[in-house]
């Protein structure tokens, strides 16, 4: 089973990153750490979708059998970093293609 873990914090030393790293190491999962993985602020413009990191994010999610999302709670919701990353994804990345 191929698992992708997305650490949805912008903090380089936060507890969310520690938890995401632990899960990724324990289950030999791919880790996308949004504190180090640079994504532009989503604006919906077509040229953003051709950026290398956007393509890597989309491929990692599409190729995964499971995606684990971790986020600190900000004002009773997910972090802006995670929300921004999810804005680059669509149902194409979450549909089973097998």
């Amino acid at each position: 089973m191929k698992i992708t873990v997305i650490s949805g914090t912008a903090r380089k030393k936060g507890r969310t990153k520690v938890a995401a790293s632990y899960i990724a190491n324990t289950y030999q999962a791919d880790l996308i750490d949004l504190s180090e993985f640079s994504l532009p602020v989503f604006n919906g413009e077509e040229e953003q979708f051709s950026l290398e990191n956007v393509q890597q994010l989309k491929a990692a999610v599409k190729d995964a059998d499971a995606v684990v999302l971790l986020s600190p709670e900000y004002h009773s919701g997910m972090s802006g970093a995670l929300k921004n990353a999810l804005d680059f994804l669509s149902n194409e990345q979450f549909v089973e293609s097998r």
Side-chain angles (χ1 to χ4, degrees):
M1 174 181 270
K2 184 169 174 60
I3 301 170
T4 295
V5 177
I6 300 177
S7 175
T9 182
R11 294 183 180 160
K12 296 198 182 297
K13 296 182 181 181
R15 292 176 296 203
T16 301
K17 181 176 180 167
V18 172
S21 296
Y22 176 80
I23 293 167
N25 289 333
T26 300
Y27 296 99
Q28 292 81 44
D30 294 333
L31 174 63
I32 296 175
D33 178 0
L34 296 179
S35 72
E36 298 174 3
F37 193 83
S38 179
L39 289 171
V41 174
F42 181 80
N43 64 13
E45 297 294 329
E46 196 62 37
E47 62 269 5
Q48 285 189 323
F49 293 101
S50 63
L51 296 172
E52 182 179 345
N53 278 2
V54 173
Q55 291 295 316
Q56 286 179 350
L57 172 67
K58 292 172 82 168
V61 171
K62 185 170 181 64
D63 294 342
D65 296 307
V67 178
V68 179
L69 304 173
L70 289 93
S71 175
E73 181 181 347
Y74 292 133
H75 309 290
S76 301
M78 72 178 90
S79 70
L82 182 58
K83 172 67 171 96
N84 186 62
L86 292 174
D87 282 341
F88 283 102
L89 303 174
S90 69
N91 64 341
E92 291 177 19
Q93 284 75 52
F94 293 101
V95 170
E96 186 174 5
S97 61
R98 290 175 235 137

